[in-house]
Amino acid sequence: MSTRNSFARTGVAAFALAATVTLAACSSGTSDPAASESSAPAASEGVDLAGSTVTMTVPVTESGDSPYVLISDAYMAEFPDRTIELQELPGDSYAQSVRTQLQAGNASDIIYVTPGGGNPQALQPFAASGFLAPLDGTGAEDTIPDSSRSLFEVDGVLYGQGLDLTVVSAVVNAGVMAEDGVEMPATYDEMLGLCGDIAADGKSLFVVAGTAVPNTGLTSMAVAASRVYAPEPDWNDKRAAGEVTFAESEGWLDTLNALIEMNDSGCFQEGVEGGDFGTITVGLGQGTSYAAFIPSGAAFQLATETGGTFTVDAMPGLTEDTTLIYASINNALALTADAENAEAAQAFLDWLAQSENLVTYANDSGNLPLGPITADDLPEAYQPVAQYIVDQNYAVLPNQAWTNGEVYNALGMGVQGLFTGQTTPEDVLAAMDAAWDK
Amino acid sequence: MTIKKPTAESAPPAAPHQPRPAESRAQRRFHAGDYGSWWWALPALAMVFCIHYLATAFGGYYSFTDWNGLGPATWVGIDNFVAIFNDPQMAGAVRNTLVIAIVFVVVANVIGLLFALALNRTLKSRYLLRVLLFAPVVLSSLAVSYVFRFIFAQEGALNALLEAVGLESWQRTWLADPTWAIVAIMTVLIWQNVGLTMVIYLAGLATVPQEQEEAAAVDGASMWQRFRHVVMPGIQPAVAIATTLTLVNGLRVFDQVMAMTGGGPFGATDTLATVVYRETFAFGRFGYGAALSLTLTFFVVVAAGFQLYITRRKH
C-alpha cells in the first residue's frame, strides 16, 4: 500500500470515525437488545402503498456505504413500487437542521434520533414538544428492551424504534498487536506495567483524541466501568435520586486519578492532550498505537478502510471479575407527527423492525443486531467480548441517563484539563454535578 | 489634471430671470425629486428592518426565556443574565475575548502601519508586495485556520522546523498548551488581517501631501518628527477606521478558535462567541445563548463607541 493511499484512506476513515464517535458518544438511548424473532403486526396493513414515497432524514456517512442507503435499497428491492427518499445531513449540524425543519413544519416523514434527552438530536425533547408520532403497538415495540424503554418514552408513550446495538469499549488493532507479540492485559495493574514497556518501544497501548470531548468522555467512562458501574450498576439512578454525587463518589474520583496515572505511565500517545480523531485513525491504522475507546462500528470501518484486523476488547478492570463493557442502542428512528406519508413511513418502520432486516442493517453498520444473539452469530471482531454479549453482562452507556449533554461535556473537557494540568479530579467532578443540575 | 474652481470673477453672469415653460401637473410631480426619493427605498428598508432589526429584537426577547429551540418559550426574566454572571467559565471567556481583541488591535495595526509606510512610495516592488500581503485577507478564515492547525499540530510543520534547527526543547503541542494555544490563535488572526490594516493605512497615507513632508524635512525635522507631526495627523481617519474594525473583529472572533482549538484546552481559548455557539447549538439552550449574544453585542457596541470617541477626540 502506497503512503499516498494510506493517507487518503486514513483521512477518509478519520472523518468516518469522527462522525461515528460524535454521534455515538452524544447519544442518549440505551441498553441491551431485545428484539423478538417476529415483528409486531404492521400498523399499515391493508393499505395500498403502491407508488408511495417516504422521506427520511439521517446523518451522512462520511466513508463507506451508508447503512441507511443500503437498508433503503433493500426495502425498495423488496417493494419496487415504493420509494424511500433519503436526506443525508452533516453530522455536526444534523440536530440543528432537524430542529429547524420540525419547527418549520417541513421535516421528513422519518428522522434519525438518539434515545433519551441528553443531546440536541435526542427524541424526548422532540416528542415532548409534539413533533413525533407515537409508535405504541407497532414493530418498534420489539426493538426496545424493557430496561431501555424509559429512554424511548415520554409520559409512557413510545416514540422511537431501535436500529442496532453499539458496543462501547476498546477497539484494538489485533493484527499489529499480534505481530508485536503484545496481548491485551487482564487487569489494570498488569496494564500499567505493559504501558511502560510499550512506550519504551515508541508506541502506546491507547490513542486518545484529547481535544475531542466525545473521545475523552468515552475513555473516562470505559475506565469508570469497573470502578463505578460494576460495583454499583444503579449508580445513575442513585444520582438522579440525589443519593450520591460525582464529587462524593470514590469510584469516579478513582477513575479520574487512574486516567492521570495511565498518562504518567505512558499508556497514551505522546501529546495526548492535543490528539484529535485523525490522531486515532492514524495511530490505529499505522499501528503506532494498539487500541482506542471508540464505538464498535468503527472497528468495522477501520478494517474496511485500512485492510487491517480490528477487534473489540474490554478495558482491563481493577480485577478480572469487575471488568465490564458497555453496550447500548445508540441509533434510532422516529416518525414525525406531521408526516405527509405516515402510513407508508410506518410500513417501512415495521418492515425494518423484522429481525432479519435488523440483522441486515447491523451488518451494514458494523454494530450488532438487536435481539438474542449467540457466540456463533457474532462477527469475528467481537469474539474477545463474546461472553459479555452472550451473557448480557454489560452496562448501558452511562451518559445516556444523565440529565443533559453538559454533564458529559464537563467530563470530557475535564479530562483534557487533567492531561494539561489545568484542573484537578475534584474540580472536574464538581463541575459535573453543577452541570447535572442545569 | 487640475480642475480650476470657478470664482466669483470668472463665473459667467447669471442669466436674467425667465418664466419656466408651462408643465403639466404630472410633470411637476415627477420633477419634485424630494417626493420619490424616500419611498423608493421602502422595500429595501422593510427588508433591512425585518432581517436585521426585527430578528435581533426577537433574539432579545428569547434572551429572557428558557427556549430550547422547540415549542413554546417560557419567560424567565433576567435569570439567564444572572446565570451568565455567576458562571465561573464565563469569566475566562470574557478575559480571553478581551485579551485577543486588545492584542489583535495593537499588533495588527502597528504591523499594518509599518508595512504601509514601507510600501507607500519608494520601493520598486511595492505593488507586488502589497498584493502578497493582502492575499490572506481574501482567503476563508476557516480554511486558513485549518491549515495552521496542521502547522501547529504535534507532528506538524512548526515542530518539524524546530527539530530541524536543533530546538527540540521548544517543541510542544501548541494547540493543547494552555499558554500557547491562545498565542497561536492570535498569530493566525493577525497574520490574516495585517493586509487589511495595511490597505487602510495606505489609503490614509495617500491623503498626506508629499510637499508637507518635504517641507518638514527641509526644515530639519527628523524621520520620527515627520511621522509624528505630519503623517499621523493626516492619517487619523484611517487610524479610526482600522482600529475600530480590528476591535470589532477581535471581540467577535469565532472561526479561528473553533477550527483550531474548539475553545480548549479546558476553556483556555474560549471566547464569548464560542460559548454562544456551544450553549445554543450543542446544548440546545437557545434562551441562554440569546442572552449571551446580547451580552456580546453590548460588549462590542460599548468598545466600538469608546474607540470612536477616543479617535475623534484626537482628531
Side-chain angles (χ1 to χ4, degrees):
Chain A
M1 181 173 64
S2 70
T3 307
R4 194 180 209 177
N5 283 341
S6 171
F7 274 117
R9 286 178 192 171
T10 50
V12 170
F15 277 114
L17 193 58
T20 306
V21 172
T22 303
L23 285 172
C26 290
S27 71
S28 71
T30 203
S31 210
D32 25 12
S36 66
E37 292 287 326
S38 62
S39 69
S44 52
E45 271 181 8
V47 178
D48 182 13
L49 299 176
S52 64
T53 298
V54 174
T55 54
M56 182 163 71
T57 301
V58 296
V60 70
T61 303
E62 301 287 356
S63 75
D65 296 321
S66 164
Y68 308 106
V69 173
L70 294 174
I71 202 67
S72 301
D73 289 346
Y75 180 72
M76 289 188 285
E78 190 169 331
F79 300 100
D81 55 351
R82 302 178 192 177
T83 304
I84 304 289
E85 272 185 12
L86 277 181
Q87 182 187 32
E88 295 183 280
L89 300 175
D92 56 354
S93 59
Y94 177 82
Q96 181 54 31
S97 301
V98 167
R99 277 171 179 255
T100 305
Q101 289 174 347
L102 288 169
Q103 282 279 100
N106 58 1
S108 294
D109 301 324
I110 298 171
I111 58 172
Y112 169 90
V113 292
T114 54
N119 68 74
Q121 71 260 13
L123 69 85
Q124 285 178 338
F126 295 158
S129 300
F131 290 117
L132 301 183
L135 294 177
D136 289 311
T138 71
E141 298 263 15
D142 300 329
T143 65
I144 313 297
D146 290 341
S147 59
S148 298
R149 195 175 162 104
S150 63
L151 292 168
F152 289 80
E153 288 180 340
V154 172
D155 296 332
V157 178
L158 186 69
Y159 287 100
Q161 175 168 320
L163 284 172
D164 55 11
L165 184 75
T166 304
V167 176
V168 178
S169 193
V171 168
V172 179
N173 189 334
V176 174
M177 269 190 113
E179 284 175 18
D180 293 350
V182 179
E183 289 185 2
M184 186 61 88
T187 65
Y188 177 76
D189 288 335
E190 288 176 27
M191 184 189 74
L192 285 184
L194 182 65
C195 284
D197 297 339
I198 294 172
D201 291 337
K203 294 191 174 186
S204 68
L205 181 57
F206 297 110
V207 55
V208 175
T211 60
V213 166
N215 191 244
T216 49
L218 278 190
T219 302
S220 47
M221 287 196 298
V223 177
S226 75
R227 292 168 173 78
V228 179
Y229 294 98
E232 283 185 280
D234 58 346
W235 193 90
N236 277 347
D237 295 333
K238 290 179 180 175
R239 180 62 186 86
E243 297 170 13
V244 296
T245 64
F246 288 101
E248 293 169 353
S249 165
E250 286 188 16
W252 274 107
L253 186 62
D254 188 27
T255 296
L256 298 187
N257 281 321
L259 286 166
I260 297 172
E261 189 175 34
M262 289 170 69
N263 193 29
D264 293 342
S265 301
C267 291
F268 305 130
Q269 83 279 11
E270 191 179 349
V272 59
E273 67 275 17
D276 53 22
F277 287 116
T279 311
I280 293 181
T281 311
V282 172
L284 281 184
Q286 297 183 350
T288 54
S289 298
Y290 294 124
F293 298 102
I294 49 181
S296 54
F300 174 79
Q301 291 173 346
L302 282 166
T304 305
E305 298 295 338
T306 66
T309 304
F310 290 86
T311 59
V312 180
D313 212 331
M315 161 72 191
L318 285 170
T319 65
E320 287 189 55
D321 293 339
T322 58
T323 298
L324 188 68
I325 66 167
Y326 299 115
S328 320
I329 302 173
N330 287 357
N331 307 303
L333 295 177
L335 180 65
T336 55
D338 295 331
E340 288 183 15
N341 312 291
E343 288 174 340
Q346 186 60 62
F348 170 71
L349 289 175
D350 287 336
W351 174 85
L352 184 53
Q354 293 172 18
S355 55
E356 64 270 24
N357 297 322
L358 287 173
V359 170
T360 302
Y361 178 85
N363 289 338
D364 296 336
S365 71
N367 292 318
L368 295 175
L370 300 173
I373 195 163
T374 66
D376 293 337
D377 296 333
L378 283 172
E380 187 65 29
Y382 288 90
Q383 289 307 321
V385 291
Q387 208 55 47
Y388 294 99
I389 295 169
V390 172
D391 296 345
Q392 297 194 9
N393 178 25
Y394 49 74
V396 298
L397 203 58
N399 67 314
Q400 295 178 341
W402 294 353
T403 53
N404 60 64
E406 291 198 54
V407 185
Y408 188 68
N409 187 68
L411 173 62
M413 272 184 65
V415 170
Q416 188 188 25
L418 294 178
F419 290 155
T420 59
Q422 289 172 272
T423 187
T424 63
E426 290 80 3
D427 287 344
V428 174
L429 297 175
M432 291 172 70
D433 281 319
W436 184 284
D437 297 327
K438 282 186 179 177
Chain B
M1 186 176 74
T2 306
I3 298 174
K4 192 174 180 182
K5 276 180 86 173
T7 61
E9 292 78 18
S10 64
H17 178 72
Q18 292 178 352
R20 293 166 65 180
E23 289 180 332
S24 68
R25 181 177 295 180
Q27 282 175 316
R28 284 200 299 274
R29 187 184 300 163
F30 183 77
H31 280 298
D34 58 338
Y35 188 75
S37 60
W38 66 270
W39 63 262
W40 286 355
L42 264 185
L45 287 174
M47 290 185 72
V48 167
F49 175 77
C50 291
I51 294 170
H52 287 288
Y53 299 106
L54 202 58
T56 304
F58 270 113
Y61 164 74
Y62 282 120
S63 67
F64 295 96
T65 71
D66 66 350
W67 193 46
N68 67 353
L70 296 165
T74 306
W75 184 267
V76 295
I78 61 169
D79 286 2
N80 288 328
F81 295 93
V82 173
I84 288 171
F85 290 105
N86 286 332
D87 187 345
Q89 287 193 351
M90 288 308 302
V94 170
R95 187 184 63 243
N96 291 336
T97 305
L98 292 176
V99 167
I100 289 174
I102 292 169
V103 172
F104 176 53
V105 167
V106 173
V107 179
N109 280 281
V110 168
I111 296 177
L113 180 56
L114 289 175
F115 275 129
L117 290 169
L119 303 178
N120 188 28
R121 288 191 189 120
T122 54
L123 209 58
K124 277 187 176 177
S125 57
R126 60 183 182 277
Y127 295 111
L128 174 65
L129 292 172
R130 285 178 191 176
V131 171
L132 291 177
L133 284 167
F134 189 74
V137 178
V138 302
L139 299 176
S140 155
S141 54
L142 266 179
V144 166
S145 302
Y146 276 112
V147 169
F148 272 92
R149 179 174 166 164
F150 288 116
I151 291 173
F152 287 120
Q154 174 78 11
E155 307 294 334
L158 181 56
N159 279 342
L161 178 68
L162 291 172
E163 185 178 9
V165 298
L167 293 173
E168 288 91 344
S169 61
W170 289 21
Q171 290 178 323
R172 64 192 71 238
T173 48
W174 298 95
L175 298 180
D177 187 300
T179 304
W180 287 97
I182 198 167
V183 176
I185 287 169
M186 288 189 293
T187 302
V188 175
L189 198 58
I190 292 164
W191 178 83
Q192 196 177 10
N193 286 280
V194 156
L196 180 66
T197 55
M198 179 195 72
V199 165
I200 294 171
Y201 287 123
L202 278 171
L205 288 170
T207 65
V208 179
Q210 195 172 352
E211 295 79 4
Q212 285 186 12
E213 282 192 75
E214 290 170 354
V218 169
D219 289 344
S222 67
M223 185 180 289
W224 168 250
Q225 286 172 322
R226 293 202 304 272
F227 173 74
R228 174 72 185 83
H229 298 292
V230 178
V231 175
M232 275 305 284
I235 63 169
Q236 269 301 314
V239 172
I241 293 169
T243 52
T244 305
L245 274 179
T246 47
L247 180 67
V248 171
N249 286 339
L251 285 172
R252 62 179 190 176
V253 60
F254 177 79
D255 293 356
Q256 290 82 359
V257 179
M258 286 308 290
M260 293 173 70
T261 65
F266 195 59
T269 59
D270 251 340
T271 64
L272 280 171
T274 60
V275 176
V276 167
Y277 174 80
R278 191 166 56 238
E279 291 290 341
T280 307
F281 299 112
F283 301 143
R285 300 177 69 195
F286 284 76
Y288 187 76
L292 271 172
S293 298
L294 211 58
T295 308
L296 174 60
T297 306
F298 179 76
F299 260 94
V300 173
V301 169
V302 169
F306 183 65
Q307 170 72 28
L308 283 172
Y309 172 74
I310 289 176
T311 49
R312 277 184 183 173
R313 191 175 58 175
K314 283 181 180 175
H315 183 56

